[in-house]
């Protein structure tokens, strides 16, 4: 996690608590999961299963499958298609294959 | 339909009528293995493989990828022996093919398990295995495993699994890479390949055959479901019917999720899990259907519950090329010397046999044992 | 046995909403399944919940969708948001549509279908496009609409109206646009010139478009004639390298948004066996659609960008035509007034599509962008490079489907959506065949992911 490359233009947005990789965060409630990850400064959300390279959300409309993360224990969910919900558990994938 | 008007055709007409020694009609696993066998044995041969359209029914790209001996030909001794010999020829074949093509075809022979979901099923399987062992004079080896023994070999089995059959002689390969490797090796060895050429008409010439303008001394029909139609043109009865098999492929799973290959499921070299397969008689319809996909998924989860959390990436339906008794047909045309028909749904298991003894047989290079086996599988068995 | 709907609509964008409004007005039983959490499609995404700051940045064209959205929300039809359709099959009863809703596979039955699932962005396979930090311009706009997120600084690259619109919106939102790199080939301007006549039939749109183009050229660092575009940076994007008039330039930036127009999504139509056609002008495959939305398969209609990209307004009109036609054919409305309305709507669509010819020619993608080479990743899911694909295509494989088997390109979870078109270009190029002869990748379920457990559980219907 680093400084975010994105900012939210909505003033005083309603906040929502999410748990990303076991750490609690407050994010604007209208964010998509992918949006929340970008907002929190996650530049990558998974490692590619073939090359091991870092990947991040690309199309934000459900067609590219680059933003697959674990949401509330459900594996390989498209982060761009879901809105954050209170106490949602989001886990980014640092290694898809446990060797 | 494809047209075959191309440069090759122009060359043919310009140069000589007798341009090729062999035409192989069909570039699937059967055709490609035979071409590979022929060119290896006689490198000077001029061989042309004619292949169909990109979107034709292709059994080879829907293959499950097992090199499977268990149960093959339990009711047909020649087929049982042939399958076992074919599997035994695989290690050398795989080695040589990988070296020639520089493609890793993910071949392994660590044995295979067939899971039985109840005691009755286990009993039926055991009887088939005993028959096979008898046909092969004990060459076929297997063990009947009860539930605990099966659990030792594959942890995590569902409660309904009653046991399994294990045979050390079974193996697996990536069937798509196998086809790619055969194509590449053939190309490097000088076999000509013409895709998008669905042969409509084969004419018998004084000394050879003319397939839509391509001429050769000898011809082998390896066109899958099209063999019946093309066979008639050469006076051969090649009865084949489509039997649809649907399967599912999941995302990559942790390596070693499945310890052994199985006809119910196998883990590919890429890590994905392939799950199959149905047997449906629905003509040329190869689409996936909801009810069958659901049944396949239910059975898979019953065998190994941890699969439930894996995402399905693809489903697939392919048409098996089935003879009336399920065994291959190796046919020499009685009326037209030099014409052959090969119909076979075990294109992977028998790939080494097709590249080896079968292509020797096509070249009239007799090895009496194999000759007897191969000729036992001609179409006489369908004429009562 | 489930209820059999008279009309099942996939997608709640302008086309789907309009189709649902017209059909439900005629007392047909209508079900709308949409993948998003609220209706509007990509163009009016999140319109119902938009905040004032977002509205200001997004502009009037976005807010213009409000009456349609209100009409849809008031319509007497069933509407399921967050429904991901993963399979459709034909059956004696009609069509069986399986969708994943709240983690459960639910099956619906309908006698007639309207596919209104819209378009996607044309994949722009340049070196490094798979690296973190690179996204599409559409993604940038979606982040703005749904989440109110703006990049702090950005490079926009490619071609097409959406790129210009996003630049306008980002400026209004105070984003630092480090450069807008325009890859539109100069020859396109000449090619499009005769079509100015067509554009003049919609003067308001034309003026808006000209103004949008001019404003960006004046207000942001706007660089034309860009070629050999690539992403720099090892593990994630650090910037871009590009060539203008033989000179190589570099710009540093950690967010890069790419765009080169929209293409129809054809997967659902293909799965259902609807005839597909290659368009040389649009440079994409699309489902063959008649004036009333009819396809080659009986009882299946297509409306909006799912059939051919024509924008939100045309999509809305096409949706109305489809819904009205369905109602007419069902014998639910027979008035002269509605027949006249239908004729008028069809004429209007015809005229607007003709006017669209100007945009299509002006923003036709640059040829070099359809020829990825070397280690440029073509298939992002399976990490297959252009060189691998070209070498197998050159050796004479039958087509993209065989290529898929040999290389795994197109086998990943995106089901070839990001690579299929470029695989086709590479095969056509290597084998010197026209694109119209290179069959697209075959489509198989699932259209969107479903776990084995969800599939096994399923639901009876």
């Amino acid at each position: 996690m680093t400084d975010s490359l994105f900012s939210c233009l909505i003033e005083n947005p309603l906040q929502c608590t999410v748990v990303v990789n076991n750490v609690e965060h407050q994010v604007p409630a209208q964010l998509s999961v992918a949006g929340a990850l970008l907002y929190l400064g996650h530049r990558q959300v998974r490692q590619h299963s073939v090359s091991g390279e870092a990947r991040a959300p690309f199309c934000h409309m459900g067609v590219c499958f680059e933003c697959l993360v674990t949401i509330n224990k459900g594996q390989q969910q498209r982060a761009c298609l879901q809105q954050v919900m209170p106490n949602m558990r989001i886990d980014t994938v640092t290694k898809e294959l446990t060797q | 339909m494809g047209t075959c008007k191309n440069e090759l055709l122009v060359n043919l007409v310009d140069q000589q009528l007798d341009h090729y020694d062999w035409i192989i009609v069909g570039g699937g696993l059967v055709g490609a293995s035979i071409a590979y066998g022929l060119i290896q044995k006689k490198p000077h041969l001029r061989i042309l493989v004619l292949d169909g359209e990109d979107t034709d029914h292709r059994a080879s790209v829907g293959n499950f990828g097992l090199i499977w001996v268990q149960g093959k030909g339990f009711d047909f001794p020649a087929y049982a022996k042939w399958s076992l010999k074919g599997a035994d020829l695989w290690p050398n074949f795989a080695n040589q093919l990988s070296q020639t093509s520089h493609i890793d075809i993910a071949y392994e022979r660590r044995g295979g398990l067939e899971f039985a979901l109840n005691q009755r099923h286990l009993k039926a399987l055991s009887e088939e295995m005993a028959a096979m062992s008898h046909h092969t004079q004990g060459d076929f080896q297997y063990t009947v495993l009860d539930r605990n023994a099966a659990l030792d070999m594959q942890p995590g089995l569902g409660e309904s699994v009653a046991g399994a059959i294990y045979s050390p002689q079974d193996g697996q390969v990536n069937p798509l890479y196998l086809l790619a490797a055969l194509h590449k090796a053939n190309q490097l060895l000088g076999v000509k390949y013409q895709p998008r050429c669905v042969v409509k008409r084969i004419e018998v010439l004084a000394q050879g055959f003319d397939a839509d303008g391509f001429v050769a001394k000898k011809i082998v029909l390896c066109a899958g479901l099209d063999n019946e139609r093309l066979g008639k043109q050469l006076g051969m009865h090649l009865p084949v019917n489509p039997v649809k098999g649907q399967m599912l492929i999941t995302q990559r799973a942790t390596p070693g999720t499945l310890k052994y290959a199985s006809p119910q499921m196998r883990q590919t070299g890429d890590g994905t899990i392939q799950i199959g397969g149905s047997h449906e008689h629905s003509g040329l319809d190869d689409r996936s259907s909801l009810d069958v996909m659901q049944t396949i998924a239910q059975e898979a989860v019953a065998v190994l519950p941890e699969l439930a959390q894996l995402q399905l990436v693809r489903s697939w339906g392919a048409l098996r090329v089935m003879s009336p008794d399920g065994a291959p047909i190796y046919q020499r045309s009685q009326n037209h010397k030099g014409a052959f028909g090969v119909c076979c749904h075990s294109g992977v298991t028998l790939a080494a046999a097709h590249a080896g003894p079968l292509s020797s047989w096509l070249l009239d290079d007799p090895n009496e044992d194999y000759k007897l086996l191969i000729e036992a599988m001609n179409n006489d068995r369908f004429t009562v | 046995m489930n209820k059999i709907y008279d009309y099942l609509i996939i997608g709640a964008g302008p086309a789907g909403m309009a189709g649902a409004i017209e059909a439900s007005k005629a007392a047909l039983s209508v079900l709308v399944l949409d993948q998003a959490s609220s209706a509007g499609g990509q163009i009016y995404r999140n319109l119902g919940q938009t905040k004032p700051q977002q509205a200001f940045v997004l502009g009037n064209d976005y807010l213009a969708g409000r009456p349609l959205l209100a009409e849809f929300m008031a319509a007497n039809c069933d509407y399921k948001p967050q429904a991901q359709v993963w399979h459709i099959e034909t059956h004696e009863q009609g069509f069986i549509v399986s969708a994943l809703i709240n983690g459960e596979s639910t099956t619906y039955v309908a006698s007639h279908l309207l596919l209104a699932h819209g378009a996607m962005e044309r994949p722009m396979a340049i070196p490094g496009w798979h690296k973190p930090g690179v996204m599409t311009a559409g993604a940038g706009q979606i982040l703005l609409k749904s989440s109110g997120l703006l990049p702090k600084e950005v490079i926009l690259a490619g071609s097409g109206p959406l790129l210009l619109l996003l630049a306008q919106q980002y400026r209004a939102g105070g984003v630092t646009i480090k450069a807008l790199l325009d890859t539109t080939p100069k020859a396109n301007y000449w090619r499009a010139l005769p079509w100015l006549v067509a554009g003049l039939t919609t003067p308001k749109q034309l003026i808006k478009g000209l103004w949008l183009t001019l404003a960006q050229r004046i207000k942001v660092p706007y660089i034309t004639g860009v070629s050999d575009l690539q992403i720099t940076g090892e593990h994630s994007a650090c910037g871009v390298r590009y060539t203008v008039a033989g000179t190589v330039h570099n710009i540093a930036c950690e967010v890069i948004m790419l765009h080169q127009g929209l293409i129809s999504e054809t997967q659902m139509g293909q799965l259902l066996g609807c005839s597909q056609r290659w368009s040389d002008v649009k440079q994409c495959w699309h489902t063959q659609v008649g004036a009333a939305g009819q396809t080659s398969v009986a009882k299946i209609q297509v409306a909006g960008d799912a059939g051919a990209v024509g924008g939100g307004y045309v999509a809305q009109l096409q949706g109305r035509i489809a819904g009205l036609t369905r109602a007419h054919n069902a014998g639910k409305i027979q008035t002269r007034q509605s027949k006249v309305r239908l004729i008028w709507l069809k004429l209007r669509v015809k005229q607007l599509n003709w006017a669209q010819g100007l945009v299509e020619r002006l923003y036709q993608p640059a040829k070099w962008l359809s020829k990825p080479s070397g280690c440029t990743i073509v298939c992002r899911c399976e990490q297959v490079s252009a060189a691998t694909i070209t070498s197998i295509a050159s050796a004479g494989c039958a087509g993209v489907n065989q290529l898929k088997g040999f290389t795994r390109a197109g086998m990943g979870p995106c089901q070839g959506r990001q690579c299929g078109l470029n695989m086709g270009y590479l095969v056509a190029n290597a084998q010197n065949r026209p694109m119209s002869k290179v069959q697209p990748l075959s489509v198989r379920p699932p259209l969107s992911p479903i776990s084995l457990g969800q599939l096994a559980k399923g639901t009876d219907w």
Side-chain angles (χ1 to χ4, degrees):
Chain A
M1 238 171 79
T2 45
D3 285 348
S4 180
L5 300 169
F6 290 82
S7 60
C8 184
L9 83 146
I10 298 161
E11 288 161 22
N12 305 320
L14 201 67
Q15 295 286 322
C16 172
T17 307
V18 292
V19 183
V20 182
N21 299 338
N22 295 320
V23 182
E24 257 186 41
H25 295 278
Q26 294 279 313
V27 297
Q30 84 283 1
L31 296 188
S32 65
V33 174
L37 291 170
L38 292 177
Y39 178 79
L40 292 171
H42 287 263
R43 304 226 179 143
Q44 65 176 78
V45 302
R46 67 180 186 112
Q47 272 182 314
H48 195 275
S49 55
V50 178
S51 65
E53 287 176 355
R55 291 291 176 91
F58 179 69
C59 78
H60 284 268
M61 57 182 287
V63 293
C64 77
F65 294 78
E66 290 288 8
C67 63
L68 299 176
V69 296
T70 302
I71 300 175
N72 291 336
K73 294 196 176 160
Q75 287 180 17
Q76 305 233 346
Q77 305 291 308
R78 284 173 287 178
C80 66
L81 292 183
Q82 294 191 46
Q83 201 173 341
V84 292
M85 300 289 267
N87 302 317
M88 187 182 252
R89 293 191 72 91
I90 305 161
D91 292 291
T92 63
V93 185
T94 44
K95 195 79 190 152
E96 275 195 357
L97 295 175
T98 40
Q99 299 298 337
Chain B
M1 295 299 268
T3 55
C4 296
K5 302 279 172 260
N6 54 33
E7 292 167 54
L8 284 168
L9 179 57
V10 177
N11 286 343
L12 266 177
V13 177
D14 282 354
Q15 294 171 4
Q16 45 181 331
L17 198 65
D18 188 8
H19 194 75
Y20 292 101
D21 296 308
W22 289 85
I23 284 176
I24 316 288
V25 183
L29 284 170
V30 174
S33 304
I34 289 174
Y36 177 68
L38 292 175
I39 198 86
Q40 279 210 317
K41 295 192 176 76
K42 299 261 165 90
H44 63 276
L45 284 179
R46 290 157 300 174
I47 302 172
L48 172 67
V49 175
L50 296 177
D51 204 358
E53 292 289 339
D54 190 36
T55 49
D56 281 352
H57 295 296
R58 287 171 179 273
S60 298
V61 300
N63 197 291
F64 203 68
L66 297 175
I67 295 151
W68 206 248
V69 183
Q70 283 191 41
K72 285 262 176 73
F74 69 90
D75 51 358
F76 189 171
Y79 181 33
K81 283 182 202 158
W82 181 238
S83 294
L84 189 56
K85 297 250 186 214
D88 288 341
L89 291 168
W90 247 98
N92 271 335
F93 167 76
N95 204 359
Q96 198 183 39
L97 180 61
S98 296
Q99 277 175 17
T100 312
S101 66
H102 303 290
I103 292 176
D104 177 7
I105 58 175
Y107 169 68
E108 56 166 54
R109 196 185 199 187
R110 288 191 291 132
L113 286 173
E114 175 148 15
F115 301 105
L117 283 171
N118 52 53
Q119 288 299 341
R120 215 181 48 203
H121 186 195
L122 189 62
K123 189 161 173 275
L125 286 175
S126 312
E127 283 163 11
E128 282 180 16
M129 299 306 138
M132 248 201 101
S133 179
H134 173 74
H135 295 326
T136 56
Q137 288 83 40
D139 286 348
F140 168 62
Q141 298 152 23
Y142 71 100
T143 320
V144 180
L145 308 174
D146 63 12
R147 183 177 160 77
N148 285 333
L151 269 169
D152 284 344
M153 298 194 77
Q154 175 63 59
L157 290 174
E159 282 171 13
S160 53
V161 177
I165 306 289
Y166 172 75
S167 167
Q169 288 159 324
D170 295 322
Q172 56 183 328
V173 69
N174 182 321
L176 298 172
Y177 294 169
L178 169 62
L179 185 61
L182 285 167
H183 275 243
K184 187 158 173 219
N186 284 343
Q187 197 197 343
L188 292 170
L189 295 170
V191 172
K192 290 261 182 263
Y193 175 70
Q194 179 60 52
R196 299 178 297 281
C197 182
V198 179
V199 174
K200 289 183 210 61
R201 179 89 212 129
I202 302 173
E203 306 279 351
V204 179
L205 307 176
Q207 288 214 317
F209 303 89
D210 176 335
D212 284 354
F214 296 103
V215 175
K217 288 182 210 153
K218 297 190 175 176
I219 192 163
V220 192
L221 303 181
C222 307
L225 294 169
D226 236 6
N227 261 8
E228 187 150 14
R229 175 180 71 86
L230 293 170
K232 277 183 195 147
Q233 300 183 10
L234 295 171
M236 281 185 284
H237 177 50
L238 302 173
V240 280
N241 270 304
V243 177
K244 175 155 100 174
Q246 292 191 46
M247 57 188 179
L248 308 176
I249 298 163
T250 71
Q251 67 180 97
R252 289 179 168 82
T254 315
T257 299
L258 296 179
K259 310 289 180 211
Y260 298 91
S262 149
Q264 286 114 328
M265 56 185 71
R266 74 175 195 98
Q267 187 164 23
T268 68
D270 297 299
T272 61
I273 291 180
Q274 236 170 309
I275 302 165
S278 61
H279 288 78
E280 303 163 65
H281 296 269
S282 44
L284 292 176
D285 180 355
D286 68 350
R287 290 175 297 178
S288 308
S289 60
L290 183 61
D291 51 350
V292 175
M293 283 192 284
Q294 202 166 323
T295 308
I296 294 173
Q298 281 162 354
E299 282 175 10
V301 173
V303 171
L304 201 64
E306 69 183 84
L307 297 182
Q309 53 174 321
L310 291 179
Q311 296 285 332
L312 174 66
V313 173
R314 227 164 38 254
S315 69
W316 202 259
L319 303 178
R320 296 182 186 87
V321 181
M322 275 297 187
S323 67
D325 61 3
I329 306 173
Y330 301 117
Q331 189 62 34
R332 186 197 298 274
S333 172
Q334 303 301 324
N335 309 333
H336 308 293
K337 196 171 174 290
F340 301 86
V342 176
C343 310
C344 170
H345 110 86
S346 302
V348 171
T349 301
L350 295 175
H354 290 160
L358 187 75
S359 47
S360 298
W361 177 74
L362 290 169
L363 289 168
D364 256 335
D365 189 8
N367 169 321
E368 278 309 311
D369 284 354
Y370 283 130
K371 192 166 176 249
L372 284 174
L373 275 186
I374 292 166
E375 291 179 1
M377 285 180 274
N378 69 16
N379 69 7
D380 286 353
R381 66 188 197 266
F382 306 120
T383 44
V384 183
Chain C
M1 187 73 212
N2 276 5
K3 166 180 182 177
I4 301 178
Y5 283 96
D6 296 324
Y7 208 32
L8 193 154
I9 300 174
I10 294 163
M17 290 193 291
I21 291 164
E22 297 298 335
S24 56
K25 252 194 245 169
L28 291 170
S29 61
V30 179
L31 170 66
V32 180
L33 298 175
D34 188 44
Q35 120 177 323
S37 52
S38 62
Q42 299 302 351
I43 185 163
Y44 304 131
R45 184 186 263 254
N46 206 34
L47 183 57
Q49 291 78 36
T50 202
K51 302 284 185 299
Q53 296 95 337
Q54 279 169 297
F56 168 73
V57 170
L58 286 162
N60 287 331
D61 281 352
Y62 174 66
L63 302 177
R66 277 179 172 158
L68 177 66
L69 186 64
E71 203 183 348
F72 172 67
M73 293 318 287
N76 182 24
C77 66
D78 291 345
Y79 159 58
K80 303 263 177 217
Q82 290 203 294
Q84 290 164 27
V85 174
W86 68 269
H87 181 52
I88 308 177
E89 68 187 47
T90 39
H91 191 263
E92 295 125 36
Q93 310 283 350
F95 301 95
I96 305 171
V97 181
S98 303
L100 207 58
I101 300 175
N102 290 329
E104 274 181 34
S105 179
T106 311
T107 297
Y108 300 96
V109 187
S111 64
H112 291 69
L113 284 185
L114 174 61
L115 309 183
H117 48 70
M120 56 173 268
E121 288 179 274
R122 176 187 298 279
M124 192 162 159
I126 59 169
W129 70 309
H130 56 288
K131 291 186 175 145
V134 184
M135 52 179 76
T136 67
Q141 214 191 27
I142 289 165
L143 278 174
L144 176 54
K145 286 173 182 170
S146 65
S147 301
L149 287 188
L150 293 170
K152 289 166 185 163
E153 52 177 40
V154 69
I155 291 174
L156 302 173
S159 165
L162 181 66
L163 200 65
L164 300 169
L165 179 61
L166 185 65
Q168 169 106 326
Q169 292 166 338
Y170 274 179
R171 276 199 301 113
V175 174
T176 307
I177 300 176
K178 295 195 80 175
L180 196 158
L181 305 174
D182 189 341
T183 58
T184 311
K186 296 253 158 78
N188 281 13
Y189 294 99
W190 296 108
R191 206 173 300 145
L193 200 60
W195 284 82
L196 199 56
V197 184
L200 284 168
T201 60
T202 52
K204 225 169 124 186
Q205 287 299 318
L206 187 66
I207 289 166
K208 260 195 207 167
L210 280 173
W211 177 243
L212 185 64
T213 312
L214 282 175
Q216 309 325 309
R217 292 207 174 203
I218 295 162
K219 306 245 169 113
V220 300
Y222 194 103
I223 298 152
T224 58
V226 169
S227 65
D228 293 329
L229 183 67
Q230 54 177 292
I231 307 298
T232 56
E234 196 164 342
H235 301 298
S236 62
C238 296
V240 293
R241 182 172 303 145
Y242 61 95
T243 305
V244 173
T247 312
V248 178
H249 303 265
N250 282 287
I251 305 178
C253 189
E254 289 184 286
V255 182
I256 294 137
M257 293 184 182
L258 305 174
H259 180 74
Q260 50 166 349
L262 302 174
I263 56 175
S264 300
E265 260 225 72
T266 55
Q267 298 220 326
M268 234 172 246
Q270 274 184 272
L271 181 68
L272 286 160
C274 302
S275 299
Q276 303 291 310
R277 180 180 279 170
W278 172 259
S279 163
D280 268 328
V281 174
K282 296 179 200 290
Q283 286 290 306
C284 68
W285 287 96
H286 60 96
T287 304
Q288 230 169 297
V289 185
Q294 73 275 24
T295 64
S296 65
V297 179
K299 302 177 181 181
I300 301 177
Q301 290 170 295
V302 172
D305 285 358
V309 175
Y313 184 56
V314 172
Q316 185 193 145
L317 299 184
Q318 286 174 334
R320 290 193 189 274
I321 293 170
L324 271 177
T325 306
R326 170 75 188 99
H328 275 252
N329 293 347
K332 295 279 186 179
I333 10 171
Q334 299 289 351
T335 62
R336 225 178 98 183
Q337 198 192 357
S338 77
K339 279 181 191 156
V340 171
R341 183 162 165 245
L342 200 51
I343 292 168
W344 181 85
L345 283 168
K346 284 183 188 171
L347 282 172
R348 182 83 174 118
V349 166
K350 219 168 185 171
Q351 182 230 336
L352 291 169
N353 276 339
W354 188 57
Q356 179 76 10
L358 174 66
V359 177
E360 282 166 3
R361 281 160 184 84
L362 186 56
Y363 293 115
Q364 227 178 45
K367 289 249 163 23
W368 61 270
L369 278 165
S370 62
K371 286 177 197 159
S373 62
C375 34
T376 303
I377 298 298
V378 171
C379 168
R380 301 171 62 109
C381 299
E382 294 292 329
Q383 198 87 354
V384 184
S385 71
T388 303
I389 290 172
T390 299
S391 75
I392 288 176
S394 305
C397 75
V400 294
N401 289 288
Q402 198 176 56
L403 230 168
K404 174 178 170 179
F406 287 1
T407 62
R408 292 189 65 84
M411 275 196 187
C414 96
Q415 300 273 22
R417 288 174 177 94
Q418 293 294 322
C419 63
L421 187 59
N422 287 321
M423 281 167 75
Y425 278 126
L426 291 175
V427 168
N429 214 23
Q431 303 184 347
N432 204 12
R433 292 196 283 151
M435 270 304 268
S436 57
K437 298 280 179 218
V438 180
Q439 298 280 324
L441 284 172
S442 306
V443 176
R444 297 281 188 169
L447 294 168
S448 77
I450 177 169
S451 74
L452 272 189
Q454 287 163 335
L455 173 57
K457 213 169 153 204
T459 43
D460 297 326
W461 50 273

